[in-house]
Amino acid sequence: MSLFGKKHDDKHEAHKRHTDIPEGEFPDEPLIVDSSDIDAVLKRFPNVVVDCWAPWCRPCLALAPVIDEMAVEFQGKVVFAKINTDKNQSFARKHQIMNIPTLLIFKNGEVVERIIGARPRRTLENMIKESLKV
Amino acid sequence: MVSNTEHFNVVVVGAGPAGMTAAIYAARSGMKTVILEAGSVGGQVAESPEIENYLGFESVNGMDLASTFRKHTERYVEIKEGEEIEQIIPEREIIRLKTGWSEYTADAAIIATGAHHRKLGCNGEEEFSGRGISYCATCDGFFFKGKKVVMIGGGNTAVGDALYLKNVGVDVTIIHRRDVFRAEAAHVKRLEESGIPKIMNSEVREIYGEKVVKGVKVLNKATGDVSDVPVDGVFIAVGVVPNTDFLKESGIKLDDIGYIVTDREQRTSLPRIYAAGDVTGGLQQIIVGCGEGAVAATTAYEDISNPYWKK
């Protein structure tokens, strides 16, 4: 694994699970999700942005710090979650993920927007605000 | 939203091979230097599956080479990621650079923003974007394991990516509009040996599907026949376009395609602004970008010490 990849892998894995967040509170960092708990996260929070990534995808790794920053910026309004498509292929298939990074924007459990490819932070913020009306 | 303006001797825009080399040379000349990177460090290098023509590395995957570059560069300069330049303003004594978040001033700016993939421009390309079309084989190849795809293009990227896709278990066919590949002979030889089917002299006229890609319509330029090739995915590598949109208002001289025009010392038409690498066109190779980066930084150093614009 590359130096980059290692660093970012560790970071990706270092985030909390949704069960670490006390009832009634919102995370200030992206949650790690997988096929087993993504549904619970979508049920618990009305506005969720899911970052579909994989360790071999360089643009995904570049996007990671932007997601981290937006999780702080949107805390209380939008929850960010990261799913490793390599380890969660059923989720990737279900949502027909064919390019990564892909951001899936969920409103009340339904996909309302898909953002494909890494984009500048300002563009992402605008698309998230627009699609979730936050 | 703009925080305090920070001043540098040299601001390098873009953390690809050209920008990183320029920054190392600038920093080693004693100039206070920073790199601003909008997207991913390493640029297109990081997306290349295998690189075999960069001296000192017989065969290296792009992500590893980009990591090596980064590690080396960060011994000398900071790379600020997520900093996309929105405006570059040449003033009398300085260059002012505005990003979405901050503002920088510099005695000299080195533009090394590289290039991004060109679109094919056929019907269906927009409609099925993200639904079976990809411009990054190393990112997306995995999703097409065991599936049938076409790779469109005939240069080093297209041939290298086709080989990569085959290696990860994708059933790939290459489609090229000419009768010979533009890729270097070593690449073409490996393609021939791989047994990857080729459709030559042919253009993809349409990508069709139903929610997702189902196939492509291919025009044989020799016979005029249009055939239908059912596929699950379409990978496109038909060249690049320079990342120079943010320069349109700066007054810097661009050529007809949008590449920055430079002299042999990598000076642009504007004082204090230099350019290096893919963004200047020419032979877009890692080693050339590095070379141009070294020249740009050295020229910037000489010009700041002894400004030609004040003579």
Side-chain angles (χ1 to χ4, degrees), chain A residues 7-47:
Chain A
K7 185 169 141 200
H8 284 274
D9 261 5
D10 289 348
K11 228 179 146 205
H12 268 293
E13 306 301 345
H15 294 296
K16 292 173 181 162
R17 314 288 306 205
H18 85 99
T19 45
D20 298 327
I21 310 299
E23 197 63 38
E25 289 186 20
F26 285 90
D28 63 353
E29 60 176 304
L31 299 174
I32 290 292
V33 297
D34 59 33
S35 303
S36 73
D37 65 356
I38 177 74
D39 290 341
V41 170
L42 294 175
K43 208 168 171 182
R44 177 170 169 186
F45 302 106
N47 297 328

Coordinates of all heavy atoms in Angstrom, one line a residue, chain A residues 7-47:
Chain A
K7 N -2.0 6.2 5.0 CA -2.4 7.4 5.9 C -3.9 7.6 5.8 O -4.5 7.7 6.8 CB -1.6 8.6 5.4 CG -1.8 9.9 6.2 CD -0.8 10.9 5.7 CE -1.4 12.3 5.7 NZ -0.7 13.2 4.8
H8 N -4.4 7.6 4.6 CA -5.8 7.9 4.4 C -6.7 6.7 4.9 O -7.8 6.9 5.4 CB -6.1 8.3 3.0 CG -5.7 9.7 2.7 ND1 -6.5 10.8 3.0 CD2 -4.5 10.2 2.2 CE1 -5.8 11.9 2.7 NE2 -4.6 11.6 2.2
D9 N -6.2 5.5 4.6 CA -6.9 4.3 5.1 C -7.1 4.4 6.6 O -8.2 4.2 7.1 CB -6.0 3.1 4.8 CG -6.5 2.4 3.6 OD1 -7.4 2.9 2.9 OD2 -5.9 1.3 3.3
D10 N -6.0 4.7 7.3 CA -6.1 4.8 8.7 C -7.1 5.8 9.1 O -7.9 5.6 10.0 CB -4.8 5.1 9.3 CG -3.8 4.0 9.2 OD1 -4.2 2.9 8.9 OD2 -2.6 4.2 9.4
K11 N -7.1 6.9 8.4 CA -8.0 8.0 8.7 C -9.5 7.6 8.5 O -10.4 7.8 9.3 CB -7.7 9.2 7.9 CG -7.6 10.5 8.8 CD -7.2 11.7 8.0 CE -8.0 12.9 8.6 NZ -8.1 13.9 7.6
H12 N -9.7 6.9 7.3 CA -11.0 6.5 7.0 C -11.5 5.5 8.1 O -12.7 5.6 8.5 CB -11.0 5.7 5.7 CG -11.3 6.5 4.5 ND1 -12.5 7.1 4.3 CD2 -10.5 6.9 3.4 CE1 -12.4 7.8 3.1 NE2 -11.2 7.7 2.6
E13 N -10.7 4.7 8.6 CA -11.1 3.7 9.5 C -11.2 4.3 10.9 O -11.8 3.7 11.8 CB -10.1 2.5 9.6 CG -9.9 1.8 8.2 CD -11.2 1.3 7.5 OE1 -12.2 1.2 8.2 OE2 -11.1 1.0 6.3
A14 N -10.6 5.4 11.1 CA -10.5 6.0 12.5 C -11.8 6.7 12.9 O -12.0 6.9 14.1 CB -9.4 7.0 12.6
H15 N -12.7 6.9 12.0 CA -14.0 7.6 12.4 C -14.9 6.7 13.2 O -14.7 5.5 13.3 CB -14.7 8.0 11.1 CG -14.0 9.1 10.3 ND1 -13.7 10.3 10.8 CD2 -13.5 9.0 9.1 CE1 -13.1 11.0 9.9 NE2 -12.9 10.2 8.8
K16 N -15.9 7.4 13.8 CA -16.8 6.7 14.7 C -17.9 6.0 13.9 O -18.2 6.3 12.8 CB -17.5 7.7 15.6 CG -16.5 8.4 16.6 CD -17.2 9.5 17.4 CE -16.2 10.1 18.3 NZ -16.7 11.5 18.8
R17 N -18.5 5.0 14.6 CA -19.7 4.4 14.1 C -20.9 5.1 14.7 O -20.8 5.9 15.7 CB -19.8 2.9 14.6 CG -18.6 2.1 14.5 CD -18.2 1.7 13.1 NE -19.3 1.0 12.4 CZ -19.1 0.2 11.3 NH1 -17.9 -0.1 10.9 NH2 -20.1 -0.3 10.7
H18 N -22.1 4.9 14.1 CA -23.2 5.7 14.6 C -23.6 5.4 16.0 O -24.2 6.2 16.7 CB -24.4 5.6 13.6 CG -25.3 4.4 13.8 ND1 -26.5 4.5 14.5 CD2 -25.2 3.1 13.5 CE1 -27.0 3.3 14.5 NE2 -26.2 2.5 13.9
T19 N -23.3 4.2 16.4 CA -23.6 3.7 17.8 C -22.8 4.5 18.8 O -23.1 4.5 20.0 CB -23.5 2.2 17.9 OG1 -22.2 1.9 17.3 CG2 -24.6 1.5 17.2
D20 N -21.7 5.1 18.3 CA -20.9 5.9 19.3 C -21.5 7.3 19.5 O -21.0 8.0 20.4 CB -19.5 6.1 18.7 CG -18.7 4.8 18.5 OD1 -19.0 3.9 19.3 OD2 -18.0 4.7 17.5
I21 N -22.5 7.6 18.8 CA -23.1 9.0 18.9 C -24.3 8.9 19.8 O -25.3 8.1 19.5 CB -23.5 9.6 17.6 CG1 -22.4 9.4 16.5 CG2 -24.0 11.0 17.7 CD1 -21.1 10.2 16.9
P22 N -24.3 9.6 21.0 CA -25.4 9.5 21.9 C -26.7 9.9 21.3 O -26.7 10.8 20.4 CB -25.0 10.4 23.1 CG -23.6 10.6 22.9 CD -23.2 10.5 21.5
E23 N -27.8 9.3 21.7 CA -29.2 9.7 21.3 C -29.4 11.2 21.3 O -29.0 11.9 22.2 CB -30.2 9.0 22.2 CG -31.6 8.9 21.6 CD -31.6 8.1 20.3 OE1 -30.9 7.0 20.2 OE2 -32.4 8.5 19.4
G24 N -29.9 11.7 20.2 CA -30.2 13.2 20.2 C -29.0 14.0 19.8 O -29.2 15.2 19.6
E25 N -27.9 13.4 19.6 CA -26.7 14.2 19.2 C -26.3 14.0 17.7 O -26.7 13.0 17.2 CB -25.5 13.9 20.1 CG -25.7 14.5 21.5 CD -24.5 14.3 22.4 OE1 -23.4 14.1 21.9 OE2 -24.7 14.3 23.6
F26 N -25.5 14.9 17.2 CA -25.1 14.8 15.8 C -23.5 14.7 15.8 O -22.9 15.4 16.6 CB -25.5 16.0 15.0 CG -27.0 15.9 14.6 CD1 -27.9 16.5 15.5 CD2 -27.4 15.3 13.5 CE1 -29.2 16.5 15.2 CE2 -28.7 15.3 13.1 CZ -29.7 15.9 14.0
P27 N -23.0 13.8 14.9 CA -21.5 13.7 14.9 C -20.9 14.9 14.2 O -21.5 15.6 13.4 CB -21.3 12.5 14.0 CG -22.6 12.4 13.1 CD -23.7 12.9 13.9
D28 N -19.6 15.2 14.7 CA -18.9 16.3 14.1 C -17.8 15.8 13.2 O -16.8 16.5 12.9 CB -18.3 17.2 15.2 CG -17.3 16.5 16.0 OD1 -17.2 15.3 15.9 OD2 -16.7 17.2 16.9
E29 N -17.9 14.5 12.8 CA -17.0 13.9 11.8 C -17.8 12.9 11.0 O -18.8 12.5 11.5 CB -15.8 13.3 12.6 CG -16.2 12.2 13.5 CD -15.0 11.6 14.2 OE1 -14.1 11.1 13.4 OE2 -14.9 11.5 15.4
P30 N -17.2 12.4 9.9 CA -18.0 11.4 9.1 C -18.1 10.1 9.9 O -17.1 9.8 10.6 CB -17.1 11.2 7.9 CG -16.3 12.4 7.8 CD -16.0 12.9 9.2
L31 N -19.2 9.4 9.8 CA -19.3 8.1 10.4 C -18.8 7.1 9.4 O -19.0 7.2 8.2 CB -20.8 7.8 10.6 CG -21.6 8.8 11.6 CD1 -23.0 8.5 11.6 CD2 -21.0 8.7 13.0
I32 N -18.3 6.0 10.0 CA -18.0 4.8 9.2 C -19.2 4.0 9.1 O -19.8 3.7 10.2 CB -16.8 4.0 9.8 CG1 -15.5 4.8 9.7 CG2 -16.7 2.7 9.2 CD1 -15.0 4.9 8.3
V33 N -19.6 3.6 7.9 CA -20.8 2.7 7.8 C -20.4 1.5 6.9 O -19.4 1.6 6.1 CB -22.0 3.4 7.2 CG1 -22.5 4.6 8.1 CG2 -21.7 4.0 5.8
D34 N -21.2 0.5 7.0 CA -21.1 -0.7 6.1 C -22.4 -1.2 5.8 O -23.4 -0.7 6.3 CB -20.1 -1.7 6.7 CG -20.5 -2.3 8.0 OD1 -21.8 -2.4 8.3 OD2 -19.7 -2.6 8.8
S35 N -22.5 -2.3 5.1 CA -23.8 -2.8 4.7 C -24.7 -3.2 5.9 O -25.9 -3.1 5.7 CB -23.6 -4.1 3.8 OG -22.8 -3.8 2.7
S36 N -24.1 -3.5 7.0 CA -24.9 -3.9 8.1 C -25.6 -2.8 8.9 O -26.6 -3.0 9.5 CB -24.0 -4.7 9.1 OG -23.1 -3.8 9.8
D37 N -25.0 -1.5 8.8 CA -25.6 -0.5 9.6 C -26.0 0.8 8.8 O -26.5 1.7 9.4 CB -24.7 -0.1 10.8 CG -23.4 0.5 10.4 OD1 -23.1 0.6 9.2 OD2 -22.6 0.9 11.3
I38 N -25.8 0.7 7.5 CA -26.2 1.9 6.7 C -27.7 2.2 6.8 O -28.1 3.4 7.0 CB -25.7 1.8 5.2 CG1 -26.1 2.9 4.4 CG2 -26.3 0.5 4.6 CD1 -25.4 4.2 4.6
D39 N -28.5 1.2 6.9 CA -29.9 1.4 6.9 C -30.3 2.1 8.2 O -31.2 3.0 8.3 CB -30.7 0.1 6.8 CG -30.6 -0.4 5.3 OD1 -30.3 0.4 4.4 OD2 -30.8 -1.6 5.1
A40 N -29.7 1.7 9.3 CA -29.9 2.3 10.6 C -29.5 3.8 10.6 O -30.3 4.6 11.2 CB -29.2 1.6 11.7
V41 N -28.5 4.1 10.0 CA -28.0 5.5 9.9 C -29.0 6.3 9.1 O -29.3 7.4 9.5 CB -26.6 5.5 9.3 CG1 -26.2 7.0 9.0 CG2 -25.6 4.9 10.2
L42 N -29.5 5.7 8.0 CA -30.4 6.5 7.1 C -31.7 6.7 7.8 O -32.5 7.6 7.6 CB -30.6 5.7 5.8 CG -29.4 5.6 4.9 CD1 -29.6 4.8 3.7 CD2 -28.9 7.0 4.5
K43 N -32.1 5.7 8.7 CA -33.3 5.8 9.4 C -33.2 6.9 10.6 O -34.1 7.6 10.9 CB -33.6 4.4 10.0 CG -35.1 4.2 10.2 CD -35.3 2.7 10.6 CE -36.8 2.5 11.0 NZ -37.1 1.1 11.3
R44 N -32.0 6.9 11.1 CA -31.8 7.8 12.3 C -31.7 9.2 11.9 O -32.2 10.1 12.6 CB -30.5 7.3 13.0 CG -30.2 8.1 14.2 CD -29.1 7.5 15.0 NE -28.6 8.5 16.0 CZ -27.6 8.3 16.8 NH1 -26.9 7.1 16.8 NH2 -27.2 9.2 17.7
F45 N -31.0 9.5 10.8 CA -30.7 10.9 10.4 C -31.5 11.2 9.1 O -31.4 10.5 8.2 CB -29.2 11.2 10.3 CG -28.4 10.9 11.5 CD1 -27.6 9.7 11.6 CD2 -28.5 11.7 12.6 CE1 -26.9 9.4 12.7 CE2 -27.7 11.4 13.7 CZ -26.9 10.3 13.8
P46 N -32.2 12.4 9.1 CA -32.9 12.7 7.9 C -32.1 13.1 6.7 O -32.4 12.8 5.5 CB -33.8 13.9 8.3 CG -33.2 14.4 9.5 CD -32.4 13.3 10.2
N47 N -30.9 13.7 6.9 CA -30.1 14.2 5.8 C -28.7 13.5 5.9 O -28.0 13.8 6.9 CB -29.9 15.7 5.9 CG -31.1 16.5 5.7 OD1 -32.0 16.1 5.0 ND2 -31.3 17.6 6.4

